[in-house]
Amino acid sequence: MRQNTLSIHSENILPIIKKWLYSDKDIFLRELVSNACDALNKVRIVLGDEGEFKISIAIDKPNQTITISDTGIGMTEDEVEKYIAQIAFSGAEEFVEKYKSQTEKDPIIGHFGLGFYSAYMVASKVEIDTRSYLPHSEPVFWSCDGSSSYTIGAGNRDARGTKITLHIDAESTEYLEESKLRELLDRHCSFMPFPIELNGKSIGNQEPLWLKSPTECTEKDYLSFYNRLFPMDPDPIFWIHLNVDYPFHLQGILYFPKLHRRFDSNESTIKLFCNRVFVSDNCKDILPDYLMILKGAIDSPDIPLNVSRSYLQVDKNVKQLSSHISKKVSDKLNLLYKNDRQKFIDSWPDIEMLVKLGILQDEKFYERVKDILIWKNSQGEWAPIDAEQKKVFYSTTENSPLLKLYKEVIFAIAPIDTAVIQFLENKLSVTFQRIDGALDESLIDPEKEKTLLDAEGKTEASRIAEFIHKTLGDVEVEAKSLASESLPALVILDENQRRFRDYIHLTQGKKGDTKKTFVVNTNHKLIQAISRLHAKQPEAAASLAKGIYDLSLLSQKEVGPEDLGPIVARQTEMLEKISALIS
Ligand code: ADP
């Protein structure tokens, strides 16, 4: 055996690696199993299917060790020197240099070629027993306790392959539990291309469907694969199979899930793999928010998984990957819209969030989906906005009494619609007006509006408006001859103020008020009755006017829970007065 010193300049590299390099200790297993996998892949390339291909992991509790053995390509002594001692440590040096010059502390492994050294997150000493596949090669033994010197020399391994022995340190004994390792292996290694055993029992290995060609996959395959990934979910509605070779490698299947309204959680559900090794279920820094609604798996060796977030955001591959996926998503949606309109409409509740968020977040996505952004209208039809129209009336509820006043209204019910409408107003030369946002001229009967003046020079309409205004206090009141006779009154909320109020409510959770105008319909029997009554029975008339105002607020959802008590009290008082009148 020889003693050697690691060829690095920094003496205390391992403590730094331990402290800064890995935020999550669990990953040591995935790193070592991936190395074993690589080694098996390499030997298969040179030798074909000769010999055994497997990875065995064993826990030895009494000796506090975990071993990871493979029947892969193995290493000669030179290779151990070169790949383990020198390369890894030059990677570590690079890391230290980088670490010195920046405050970010979350660069990780692969980028620096330090996967093997993640072992030191859980081990105080690591040993390698290896034997190269090459004929006449000698077994090699390497050992290092995390200081800057290591031992290397002749080993005693008979067969080709490598065994890594981790002497688990006192803070990491949880990894000596079989259940803990099994959980990690199930999570990270269930799509690996070689059989894996833990303490002699095999880990359920699955074929990753994303590696198959889309033409070979049936609908049943896709659904059952989804089911395996997300066992608690209802079936997805449709999916895209990604298969890119150039300019980057990417394979994957992304599903459009059924949104479970009750549990709409923030769970990230695109599983990220790198050559079949599960890396993370957090693609937050790789994909824009709107694509995170999708569920499934993507596998790409080209995503620099192990670097900091700010690096990811400017990485060319990552950008191309996002725009590729976004393009595939919009293609799929356009195709469905064209070929199966009914299914598209039926799926809308599940996909509208993706489409609308995408529109707001990604200009290019907007251009691709603008013609399939559909809205339901008051006739029950679904269609995109006609950009030729000057004004579009919309309602934020499907059961507003004001709907009766308009010929066509679109429903913009989702909370995100406020932002989408604002966005569309800037894009199209269309004005969107909420049905309670202004009294549109088209709603007024121009003939009946010309009422005769009375002796005081006032119209009957303005007299009634004045009376109601006095009754209600600081609410502006207008009396109009509406074309429709079905609605006694409505409340108009200043559109700009209301938008601002909704915005403040959405962003800060604060309540606000808007200017309200109470419009009474002089063509409605009830208003005509108040008009007749107010000279003779001013109290009953005032009570009725308040009652109608309250009802309008209620039906337009402009009251809060705290208003209900006073409203009920006023309604009761009004009924009392009316019953006194008629009894
Ligand atoms: P990376 O895997 O990113 O290259 P590592 O530090 O994990 O970095 O490993 C360094 C090198 O050591 C590998 O590229 C490989 O050549 C060698 N190596 C590590 N583990 C094994 C193994 N189980 N069998 C054979 N070679 C290995």
Side-chain angles (χ1 to χ4, degrees), residues 31-32 34-40 42 68 70 72-75 79 83-84 87-88 109-117 130 161-164:
E31 290 303 317
L32 297 179
S34 326
N35 278 352
C37 237
D38 287 347
L40 287 163
K42 284 179 194 158
I68 294 123
D70 64 69
I73 195 157
M75 285 178 275
E79 283 168 341
Y83 297 136
I84 299 291
I87 296 227
I109 350 157
H111 189 58
F112 294 98
L114 289 173
F116 169 76
Y117 280 89
T130 181
T162 304
K163 179 168 90 178
I164 311 279

PDB file of all heavy atoms in Angstrom, residues 31-32 34-40 42 68 70 72-75 79 83-84 87-88 109-117 130 161-164, ligand 1:
ATOM      1  N   GLU A  31     -26.300   9.352  -6.563  1.00  0.00           N
ATOM      2  CA  GLU A  31     -25.029   9.589  -7.264  1.00  0.00           C
ATOM      3  C   GLU A  31     -24.237   8.298  -7.418  1.00  0.00           C
ATOM      4  O   GLU A  31     -23.700   8.013  -8.489  1.00  0.00           O
ATOM      5  CB  GLU A  31     -24.192  10.629  -6.509  1.00  0.00           C
ATOM      6  CG  GLU A  31     -24.772  12.033  -6.570  1.00  0.00           C
ATOM      7  CD  GLU A  31     -24.952  12.536  -7.991  1.00  0.00           C
ATOM      8  OE1 GLU A  31     -24.053  12.324  -8.816  1.00  0.00           O
ATOM      9  OE2 GLU A  31     -26.026  13.117  -8.278  1.00  0.00           O
ATOM     10  N   LEU A  32     -24.166   7.524  -6.338  1.00  0.00           N
ATOM     11  CA  LEU A  32     -23.355   6.308  -6.408  1.00  0.00           C
ATOM     12  C   LEU A  32     -24.038   5.256  -7.281  1.00  0.00           C
ATOM     13  O   LEU A  32     -23.372   4.536  -8.031  1.00  0.00           O
ATOM     14  CB  LEU A  32     -23.068   5.766  -5.002  1.00  0.00           C
ATOM     15  CG  LEU A  32     -22.237   6.722  -4.118  1.00  0.00           C
ATOM     16  CD1 LEU A  32     -22.018   6.139  -2.746  1.00  0.00           C
ATOM     17  CD2 LEU A  32     -20.888   7.060  -4.774  1.00  0.00           C
ATOM     18  N   SER A  34     -25.984   5.930  -9.778  1.00  0.00           N
ATOM     19  CA  SER A  34     -25.805   6.337 -11.190  1.00  0.00           C
ATOM     20  C   SER A  34     -24.409   6.011 -11.683  1.00  0.00           C
ATOM     21  O   SER A  34     -24.234   5.652 -12.848  1.00  0.00           O
ATOM     22  CB  SER A  34     -25.994   7.815 -11.451  1.00  0.00           C
ATOM     23  OG  SER A  34     -26.916   8.355 -10.669  1.00  0.00           O
ATOM     24  N   ASN A  35     -23.418   6.177 -10.834  1.00  0.00           N
ATOM     25  CA  ASN A  35     -22.067   5.807 -11.253  1.00  0.00           C
ATOM     26  C   ASN A  35     -22.008   4.318 -11.587  1.00  0.00           C
ATOM     27  O   ASN A  35     -21.387   3.913 -12.570  1.00  0.00           O
ATOM     28  CB  ASN A  35     -21.053   6.115 -10.141  1.00  0.00           C
ATOM     29  CG  ASN A  35     -20.641   7.582 -10.146  1.00  0.00           C
ATOM     30  OD1 ASN A  35     -20.997   8.328 -11.050  1.00  0.00           O
ATOM     31  ND2 ASN A  35     -19.899   7.987  -9.126  1.00  0.00           N
ATOM     32  N   ALA A  36     -22.664   3.514 -10.745  1.00  0.00           N
ATOM     33  CA  ALA A  36     -22.679   2.069 -10.978  1.00  0.00           C
ATOM     34  C   ALA A  36     -23.366   1.770 -12.315  1.00  0.00           C
ATOM     35  O   ALA A  36     -22.914   0.943 -13.106  1.00  0.00           O
ATOM     36  CB  ALA A  36     -23.402   1.373  -9.834  1.00  0.00           C
ATOM     37  N   CYS A  37     -24.441   2.489 -12.557  1.00  0.00           N
ATOM     38  CA  CYS A  37     -25.178   2.328 -13.805  1.00  0.00           C
ATOM     39  C   CYS A  37     -24.315   2.687 -15.019  1.00  0.00           C
ATOM     40  O   CYS A  37     -24.304   1.961 -16.023  1.00  0.00           O
ATOM     41  CB  CYS A  37     -26.347   3.282 -13.769  1.00  0.00           C
ATOM     42  SG  CYS A  37     -27.865   2.497 -13.965  1.00  0.00           S
ATOM     43  N   ASP A  38     -23.622   3.807 -14.895  1.00  0.00           N
ATOM     44  CA  ASP A  38     -22.723   4.214 -15.986  1.00  0.00           C
ATOM     45  C   ASP A  38     -21.693   3.130 -16.246  1.00  0.00           C
ATOM     46  O   ASP A  38     -21.372   2.813 -17.392  1.00  0.00           O
ATOM     47  CB  ASP A  38     -21.954   5.495 -15.613  1.00  0.00           C
ATOM     48  CG  ASP A  38     -22.848   6.711 -15.647  1.00  0.00           C
ATOM     49  OD1 ASP A  38     -23.963   6.598 -16.178  1.00  0.00           O
ATOM     50  OD2 ASP A  38     -22.427   7.768 -15.127  1.00  0.00           O
ATOM     51  N   ALA A  39     -21.167   2.576 -15.152  1.00  0.00           N
ATOM     52  CA  ALA A  39     -20.132   1.558 -15.288  1.00  0.00           C
ATOM     53  C   ALA A  39     -20.696   0.325 -15.992  1.00  0.00           C
ATOM     54  O   ALA A  39     -20.025  -0.304 -16.823  1.00  0.00           O
ATOM     55  CB  ALA A  39     -19.586   1.195 -13.917  1.00  0.00           C
ATOM     56  N   LEU A  40     -21.933  -0.025 -15.686  1.00  0.00           N
ATOM     57  CA  LEU A  40     -22.573  -1.175 -16.345  1.00  0.00           C
ATOM     58  C   LEU A  40     -22.830  -0.868 -17.821  1.00  0.00           C
ATOM     59  O   LEU A  40     -22.612  -1.726 -18.692  1.00  0.00           O
ATOM     60  CB  LEU A  40     -23.885  -1.520 -15.636  1.00  0.00           C
ATOM     61  CG  LEU A  40     -23.714  -2.189 -14.255  1.00  0.00           C
ATOM     62  CD1 LEU A  40     -24.996  -2.112 -13.445  1.00  0.00           C
ATOM     63  CD2 LEU A  40     -23.302  -3.652 -14.423  1.00  0.00           C
ATOM     64  N   LYS A  42     -21.138   1.139 -19.677  1.00  0.00           N
ATOM     65  CA  LYS A  42     -19.866   1.150 -20.411  1.00  0.00           C
ATOM     66  C   LYS A  42     -19.424  -0.266 -20.734  1.00  0.00           C
ATOM     67  O   LYS A  42     -18.976  -0.550 -21.845  1.00  0.00           O
ATOM     68  CB  LYS A  42     -18.787   1.843 -19.571  1.00  0.00           C
ATOM     69  CG  LYS A  42     -18.925   3.358 -19.546  1.00  0.00           C
ATOM     70  CD  LYS A  42     -17.829   3.966 -18.682  1.00  0.00           C
ATOM     71  CE  LYS A  42     -18.116   5.425 -18.345  1.00  0.00           C
ATOM     72  NZ  LYS A  42     -17.404   5.866 -17.161  1.00  0.00           N
ATOM     73  N   ILE A  68     -22.100  -0.447  -2.041  1.00  0.00           N
ATOM     74  CA  ILE A  68     -22.792  -0.358  -3.338  1.00  0.00           C
ATOM     75  C   ILE A  68     -21.889  -1.062  -4.340  1.00  0.00           C
ATOM     76  O   ILE A  68     -20.775  -0.603  -4.602  1.00  0.00           O
ATOM     77  CB  ILE A  68     -23.014   1.112  -3.740  1.00  0.00           C
ATOM     78  CG1 ILE A  68     -23.992   1.761  -2.757  1.00  0.00           C
ATOM     79  CG2 ILE A  68     -23.593   1.238  -5.154  1.00  0.00           C
ATOM     80  CD1 ILE A  68     -23.475   2.955  -2.083  1.00  0.00           C
ATOM     81  N   ASP A  70     -21.253  -3.034  -8.094  1.00  0.00           N
ATOM     82  CA  ASP A  70     -21.753  -3.220  -9.449  1.00  0.00           C
ATOM     83  C   ASP A  70     -20.854  -4.202 -10.186  1.00  0.00           C
ATOM     84  O   ASP A  70     -19.726  -4.454  -9.766  1.00  0.00           O
ATOM     85  CB  ASP A  70     -21.815  -1.884 -10.194  1.00  0.00           C
ATOM     86  CG  ASP A  70     -20.453  -1.253 -10.391  1.00  0.00           C
ATOM     87  OD1 ASP A  70     -19.642  -1.786 -11.159  1.00  0.00           O
ATOM     88  OD2 ASP A  70     -20.195  -0.183  -9.762  1.00  0.00           O
ATOM     89  N   GLY A  72     -19.890  -3.673 -13.211  1.00  0.00           N
ATOM     90  CA  GLY A  72     -19.616  -2.812 -14.367  1.00  0.00           C
ATOM     91  C   GLY A  72     -18.185  -2.889 -14.843  1.00  0.00           C
ATOM     92  O   GLY A  72     -17.479  -3.879 -14.615  1.00  0.00           O
ATOM     93  N   ILE A  73     -17.756  -1.814 -15.438  1.00  0.00           N
ATOM     94  CA  ILE A  73     -16.484  -1.795 -16.150  1.00  0.00           C
ATOM     95  C   ILE A  73     -15.269  -1.835 -15.215  1.00  0.00           C
ATOM     96  O   ILE A  73     -14.184  -2.273 -15.605  1.00  0.00           O
ATOM     97  CB  ILE A  73     -16.435  -0.560 -17.089  1.00  0.00           C
ATOM     98  CG1 ILE A  73     -15.318  -0.688 -18.109  1.00  0.00           C
ATOM     99  CG2 ILE A  73     -16.307   0.745 -16.304  1.00  0.00           C
ATOM    100  CD1 ILE A  73     -15.529   0.135 -19.357  1.00  0.00           C
ATOM    101  N   GLY A  74     -15.451  -1.427 -13.968  1.00  0.00           N
ATOM    102  CA  GLY A  74     -14.343  -1.435 -13.021  1.00  0.00           C
ATOM    103  C   GLY A  74     -13.284  -0.398 -13.357  1.00  0.00           C
ATOM    104  O   GLY A  74     -13.407   0.351 -14.338  1.00  0.00           O
ATOM    105  N   MET A  75     -12.239  -0.357 -12.531  1.00  0.00           N
ATOM    106  CA  MET A  75     -11.164   0.622 -12.781  1.00  0.00           C
ATOM    107  C   MET A  75      -9.811  -0.028 -12.521  1.00  0.00           C
ATOM    108  O   MET A  75      -9.666  -0.852 -11.615  1.00  0.00           O
ATOM    109  CB  MET A  75     -11.316   1.829 -11.844  1.00  0.00           C
ATOM    110  CG  MET A  75     -12.438   2.775 -12.217  1.00  0.00           C
ATOM    111  SD  MET A  75     -12.608   4.144 -11.046  1.00  0.00           S
ATOM    112  CE  MET A  75     -13.626   3.416  -9.791  1.00  0.00           C
ATOM    113  N   GLU A  79      -6.677   4.310 -13.387  1.00  0.00           N
ATOM    114  CA  GLU A  79      -7.989   4.967 -13.543  1.00  0.00           C
ATOM    115  C   GLU A  79      -8.506   5.513 -12.208  1.00  0.00           C
ATOM    116  O   GLU A  79      -9.100   6.588 -12.156  1.00  0.00           O
ATOM    117  CB  GLU A  79      -8.996   3.999 -14.169  1.00  0.00           C
ATOM    118  CG  GLU A  79      -8.778   3.849 -15.665  1.00  0.00           C
ATOM    119  CD  GLU A  79      -9.547   2.681 -16.285  1.00  0.00           C
ATOM    120  OE1 GLU A  79      -9.965   1.763 -15.553  1.00  0.00           O
ATOM    121  OE2 GLU A  79      -9.698   2.695 -17.520  1.00  0.00           O
ATOM    122  N   TYR A  83      -9.445   9.153 -12.232  1.00  0.00           N
ATOM    123  CA  TYR A  83     -10.864   9.548 -12.184  1.00  0.00           C
ATOM    124  C   TYR A  83     -11.343   9.895 -10.784  1.00  0.00           C
ATOM    125  O   TYR A  83     -12.231  10.718 -10.600  1.00  0.00           O
ATOM    126  CB  TYR A  83     -11.750   8.443 -12.756  1.00  0.00           C
ATOM    127  CG  TYR A  83     -11.488   8.162 -14.207  1.00  0.00           C
ATOM    128  CD1 TYR A  83     -11.397   6.861 -14.675  1.00  0.00           C
ATOM    129  CD2 TYR A  83     -11.327   9.212 -15.112  1.00  0.00           C
ATOM    130  CE1 TYR A  83     -11.155   6.603 -16.010  1.00  0.00           C
ATOM    131  CE2 TYR A  83     -11.082   8.958 -16.443  1.00  0.00           C
ATOM    132  CZ  TYR A  83     -10.995   7.658 -16.896  1.00  0.00           C
ATOM    133  OH  TYR A  83     -10.752   7.409 -18.205  1.00  0.00           O
ATOM    134  N   ILE A  84     -10.794   9.217  -9.814  1.00  0.00           N
ATOM    135  CA  ILE A  84     -11.292   9.484  -8.465  1.00  0.00           C
ATOM    136  C   ILE A  84     -10.442  10.563  -7.790  1.00  0.00           C
ATOM    137  O   ILE A  84     -10.953  11.580  -7.344  1.00  0.00           O
ATOM    138  CB  ILE A  84     -11.300   8.193  -7.599  1.00  0.00           C
ATOM    139  CG1 ILE A  84     -12.211   7.145  -8.230  1.00  0.00           C
ATOM    140  CG2 ILE A  84     -11.696   8.508  -6.160  1.00  0.00           C
ATOM    141  CD1 ILE A  84     -13.688   7.453  -8.210  1.00  0.00           C
ATOM    142  N   ILE A  87      -9.248  13.850 -11.036  1.00  0.00           N
ATOM    143  CA  ILE A  87     -10.322  14.571 -11.723  1.00  0.00           C
ATOM    144  C   ILE A  87     -11.309  15.145 -10.727  1.00  0.00           C
ATOM    145  O   ILE A  87     -11.640  16.324 -10.755  1.00  0.00           O
ATOM    146  CB  ILE A  87     -11.078  13.665 -12.710  1.00  0.00           C
ATOM    147  CG1 ILE A  87     -10.122  13.230 -13.794  1.00  0.00           C
ATOM    148  CG2 ILE A  87     -12.319  14.366 -13.230  1.00  0.00           C
ATOM    149  CD1 ILE A  87     -10.620  13.355 -15.181  1.00  0.00           C
ATOM    150  N   ALA A  88     -11.706  14.292  -9.810  1.00  0.00           N
ATOM    151  CA  ALA A  88     -12.715  14.762  -8.868  1.00  0.00           C
ATOM    152  C   ALA A  88     -12.188  15.955  -8.094  1.00  0.00           C
ATOM    153  O   ALA A  88     -12.892  16.928  -7.887  1.00  0.00           O
ATOM    154  CB  ALA A  88     -13.089  13.640  -7.912  1.00  0.00           C
ATOM    155  N   ILE A 109     -23.289  18.905  -7.612  1.00  0.00           N
ATOM    156  CA  ILE A 109     -22.518  17.828  -8.175  1.00  0.00           C
ATOM    157  C   ILE A 109     -22.110  17.806  -9.636  1.00  0.00           C
ATOM    158  O   ILE A 109     -21.085  18.347  -9.983  1.00  0.00           O
ATOM    159  CB  ILE A 109     -23.224  16.517  -7.869  1.00  0.00           C
ATOM    160  CG1 ILE A 109     -24.324  16.837  -6.883  1.00  0.00           C
ATOM    161  CG2 ILE A 109     -22.256  15.534  -7.272  1.00  0.00           C
ATOM    162  CD1 ILE A 109     -25.380  15.903  -6.859  1.00  0.00           C
ATOM    163  N   GLY A 110     -22.924  17.158 -10.487  1.00  0.00           N
ATOM    164  CA  GLY A 110     -22.453  16.728 -11.803  1.00  0.00           C
ATOM    165  C   GLY A 110     -21.625  17.779 -12.524  1.00  0.00           C
ATOM    166  O   GLY A 110     -20.639  17.471 -13.183  1.00  0.00           O
ATOM    167  N   HIS A 111     -22.051  19.024 -12.379  1.00  0.00           N
ATOM    168  CA  HIS A 111     -21.384  20.104 -13.061  1.00  0.00           C
ATOM    169  C   HIS A 111     -19.889  20.127 -12.749  1.00  0.00           C
ATOM    170  O   HIS A 111     -19.068  20.487 -13.562  1.00  0.00           O
ATOM    171  CB  HIS A 111     -22.031  21.407 -12.627  1.00  0.00           C
ATOM    172  CG  HIS A 111     -21.584  22.584 -13.414  1.00  0.00           C
ATOM    173  ND1 HIS A 111     -21.726  22.636 -14.781  1.00  0.00           N
ATOM    174  CD2 HIS A 111     -20.982  23.727 -13.041  1.00  0.00           C
ATOM    175  CE1 HIS A 111     -21.231  23.783 -15.212  1.00  0.00           C
ATOM    176  NE2 HIS A 111     -20.777  24.462 -14.180  1.00  0.00           N
ATOM    177  N   PHE A 112     -19.536  19.743 -11.561  1.00  0.00           N
ATOM    178  CA  PHE A 112     -18.135  19.761 -11.159  1.00  0.00           C
ATOM    179  C   PHE A 112     -17.525  18.358 -11.145  1.00  0.00           C
ATOM    180  O   PHE A 112     -16.396  18.183 -10.742  1.00  0.00           O
ATOM    181  CB  PHE A 112     -17.994  20.392  -9.762  1.00  0.00           C
ATOM    182  CG  PHE A 112     -18.363  21.835  -9.759  1.00  0.00           C
ATOM    183  CD1 PHE A 112     -19.613  22.250  -9.361  1.00  0.00           C
ATOM    184  CD2 PHE A 112     -17.446  22.784 -10.183  1.00  0.00           C
ATOM    185  CE1 PHE A 112     -19.952  23.588  -9.378  1.00  0.00           C
ATOM    186  CE2 PHE A 112     -17.782  24.124 -10.201  1.00  0.00           C
ATOM    187  CZ  PHE A 112     -19.040  24.526  -9.798  1.00  0.00           C
ATOM    188  N   GLY A 113     -18.288  17.367 -11.573  1.00  0.00           N
ATOM    189  CA  GLY A 113     -17.767  16.007 -11.582  1.00  0.00           C
ATOM    190  C   GLY A 113     -17.405  15.513 -10.199  1.00  0.00           C
ATOM    191  O   GLY A 113     -16.349  14.937  -9.977  1.00  0.00           O
ATOM    192  N   LEU A 114     -18.290  15.767  -9.257  1.00  0.00           N
ATOM    193  CA  LEU A 114     -17.965  15.407  -7.877  1.00  0.00           C
ATOM    194  C   LEU A 114     -18.922  14.386  -7.288  1.00  0.00           C
ATOM    195  O   LEU A 114     -18.972  14.204  -6.090  1.00  0.00           O
ATOM    196  CB  LEU A 114     -18.001  16.660  -6.994  1.00  0.00           C
ATOM    197  CG  LEU A 114     -16.876  17.652  -7.211  1.00  0.00           C
ATOM    198  CD1 LEU A 114     -17.130  18.905  -6.419  1.00  0.00           C
ATOM    199  CD2 LEU A 114     -15.544  17.049  -6.814  1.00  0.00           C
ATOM    200  N   GLY A 115     -19.690  13.728  -8.170  1.00  0.00           N
ATOM    201  CA  GLY A 115     -20.726  12.822  -7.683  1.00  0.00           C
ATOM    202  C   GLY A 115     -20.216  11.834  -6.657  1.00  0.00           C
ATOM    203  O   GLY A 115     -20.829  11.647  -5.607  1.00  0.00           O
ATOM    204  N   PHE A 116     -19.089  11.228  -6.944  1.00  0.00           N
ATOM    205  CA  PHE A 116     -18.542  10.223  -6.047  1.00  0.00           C
ATOM    206  C   PHE A 116     -18.335  10.782  -4.641  1.00  0.00           C
ATOM    207  O   PHE A 116     -18.596  10.126  -3.647  1.00  0.00           O
ATOM    208  CB  PHE A 116     -17.215   9.700  -6.618  1.00  0.00           C
ATOM    209  CG  PHE A 116     -16.463   8.861  -5.654  1.00  0.00           C
ATOM    210  CD1 PHE A 116     -16.855   7.553  -5.406  1.00  0.00           C
ATOM    211  CD2 PHE A 116     -15.377   9.378  -4.962  1.00  0.00           C
ATOM    212  CE1 PHE A 116     -16.182   6.778  -4.479  1.00  0.00           C
ATOM    213  CE2 PHE A 116     -14.704   8.603  -4.034  1.00  0.00           C
ATOM    214  CZ  PHE A 116     -15.097   7.302  -3.787  1.00  0.00           C
ATOM    215  N   TYR A 117     -17.896  12.026  -4.582  1.00  0.00           N
ATOM    216  CA  TYR A 117     -17.569  12.612  -3.277  1.00  0.00           C
ATOM    217  C   TYR A 117     -18.781  12.962  -2.439  1.00  0.00           C
ATOM    218  O   TYR A 117     -18.646  13.297  -1.261  1.00  0.00           O
ATOM    219  CB  TYR A 117     -16.623  13.811  -3.451  1.00  0.00           C
ATOM    220  CG  TYR A 117     -15.222  13.297  -3.647  1.00  0.00           C
ATOM    221  CD1 TYR A 117     -14.734  12.997  -4.912  1.00  0.00           C
ATOM    222  CD2 TYR A 117     -14.420  13.026  -2.555  1.00  0.00           C
ATOM    223  CE1 TYR A 117     -13.482  12.467  -5.091  1.00  0.00           C
ATOM    224  CE2 TYR A 117     -13.156  12.490  -2.717  1.00  0.00           C
ATOM    225  CZ  TYR A 117     -12.692  12.211  -3.984  1.00  0.00           C
ATOM    226  OH  TYR A 117     -11.464  11.671  -4.133  1.00  0.00           O
ATOM    227  N   THR A 130     -12.089  -2.454  -6.563  1.00  0.00           N
ATOM    228  CA  THR A 130     -12.501  -2.480  -7.967  1.00  0.00           C
ATOM    229  C   THR A 130     -11.570  -3.355  -8.780  1.00  0.00           C
ATOM    230  O   THR A 130     -10.416  -3.607  -8.397  1.00  0.00           O
ATOM    231  CB  THR A 130     -12.564  -1.040  -8.533  1.00  0.00           C
ATOM    232  OG1 THR A 130     -12.983  -1.088  -9.897  1.00  0.00           O
ATOM    233  CG2 THR A 130     -11.217  -0.314  -8.447  1.00  0.00           C
ATOM    234  N   GLY A 161     -15.782  -5.186 -11.872  1.00  0.00           N
ATOM    235  CA  GLY A 161     -16.766  -4.333 -11.213  1.00  0.00           C
ATOM    236  C   GLY A 161     -16.178  -3.585 -10.032  1.00  0.00           C
ATOM    237  O   GLY A 161     -14.969  -3.609  -9.796  1.00  0.00           O
ATOM    238  N   THR A 162     -17.075  -2.907  -9.322  1.00  0.00           N
ATOM    239  CA  THR A 162     -16.619  -2.009  -8.263  1.00  0.00           C
ATOM    240  C   THR A 162     -17.515  -2.149  -7.044  1.00  0.00           C
ATOM    241  O   THR A 162     -18.737  -2.283  -7.180  1.00  0.00           O
ATOM    242  CB  THR A 162     -16.688  -0.541  -8.765  1.00  0.00           C
ATOM    243  OG1 THR A 162     -15.907  -0.443  -9.956  1.00  0.00           O
ATOM    244  CG2 THR A 162     -16.162   0.442  -7.729  1.00  0.00           C
ATOM    245  N   LYS A 163     -16.893  -2.131  -5.895  1.00  0.00           N
ATOM    246  CA  LYS A 163     -17.673  -2.075  -4.655  1.00  0.00           C
ATOM    247  C   LYS A 163     -17.231  -0.834  -3.887  1.00  0.00           C
ATOM    248  O   LYS A 163     -16.051  -0.618  -3.667  1.00  0.00           O
ATOM    249  CB  LYS A 163     -17.416  -3.315  -3.807  1.00  0.00           C
ATOM    250  CG  LYS A 163     -18.183  -3.285  -2.482  1.00  0.00           C
ATOM    251  CD  LYS A 163     -18.147  -4.627  -1.781  1.00  0.00           C
ATOM    252  CE  LYS A 163     -16.935  -4.692  -0.842  1.00  0.00           C
ATOM    253  NZ  LYS A 163     -16.855  -5.939  -0.079  1.00  0.00           N
ATOM    254  N   ILE A 164     -18.210  -0.008  -3.549  1.00  0.00           N
ATOM    255  CA  ILE A 164     -17.907   1.196  -2.767  1.00  0.00           C
ATOM    256  C   ILE A 164     -18.397   0.924  -1.350  1.00  0.00           C
ATOM    257  O   ILE A 164     -19.571   0.565  -1.164  1.00  0.00           O
ATOM    258  CB  ILE A 164     -18.672   2.422  -3.321  1.00  0.00           C
ATOM    259  CG1 ILE A 164     -18.536   2.561  -4.836  1.00  0.00           C
ATOM    260  CG2 ILE A 164     -18.293   3.701  -2.573  1.00  0.00           C
ATOM    261  CD1 ILE A 164     -17.287   3.198  -5.330  1.00  0.00           C
TER     262      ILE A 164
HETATM  263  P1  ADP B   1     -18.960  11.828 -12.778  1.00  0.00           P
HETATM  264  O1  ADP B   1     -19.763  10.588 -12.561  1.00  0.00           O
HETATM  265  O2  ADP B   1     -19.791  13.046 -12.896  1.00  0.00           O
HETATM  266  O3  ADP B   1     -17.941  11.690 -13.859  1.00  0.00           O
HETATM  267  P2  ADP B   1     -17.874  11.103 -10.248  1.00  0.00           P
HETATM  268  O4  ADP B   1     -17.087  11.835  -9.224  1.00  0.00           O
HETATM  269  O5  ADP B   1     -19.167  10.563  -9.764  1.00  0.00           O
HETATM  270  O6  ADP B   1     -18.109  12.080 -11.446  1.00  0.00           O
HETATM  271  O7  ADP B   1     -16.992   9.948 -10.807  1.00  0.00           O
HETATM  272  C1  ADP B   1     -15.736  10.192 -11.382  1.00  0.00           C
HETATM  273  C2  ADP B   1     -15.335   9.057 -12.265  1.00  0.00           C
HETATM  274  O8  ADP B   1     -14.982   7.914 -11.507  1.00  0.00           O
HETATM  275  C3  ADP B   1     -16.401   8.554 -13.208  1.00  0.00           C
HETATM  276  O9  ADP B   1     -16.489   9.331 -14.369  1.00  0.00           O
HETATM  277  C4  ADP B   1     -15.904   7.135 -13.509  1.00  0.00           C
HETATM  278  O10 ADP B   1     -14.913   7.170 -14.528  1.00  0.00           O
HETATM  279  C5  ADP B   1     -15.278   6.750 -12.211  1.00  0.00           C
HETATM  280  N1  ADP B   1     -16.215   5.940 -11.423  1.00  0.00           N
HETATM  281  C6  ADP B   1     -16.968   6.329 -10.382  1.00  0.00           C
HETATM  282  N2  ADP B   1     -17.708   5.306  -9.912  1.00  0.00           N
HETATM  283  C7  ADP B   1     -17.436   4.239 -10.667  1.00  0.00           C
HETATM  284  C8  ADP B   1     -17.872   2.861 -10.694  1.00  0.00           C
HETATM  285  N3  ADP B   1     -18.781   2.405  -9.838  1.00  0.00           N
HETATM  286  N4  ADP B   1     -17.322   2.042 -11.623  1.00  0.00           N
HETATM  287  C9  ADP B   1     -16.411   2.504 -12.489  1.00  0.00           C
HETATM  288  N5  ADP B   1     -15.964   3.775 -12.540  1.00  0.00           N
HETATM  289  C10 ADP B   1     -16.449   4.625 -11.629  1.00  0.00           C
END
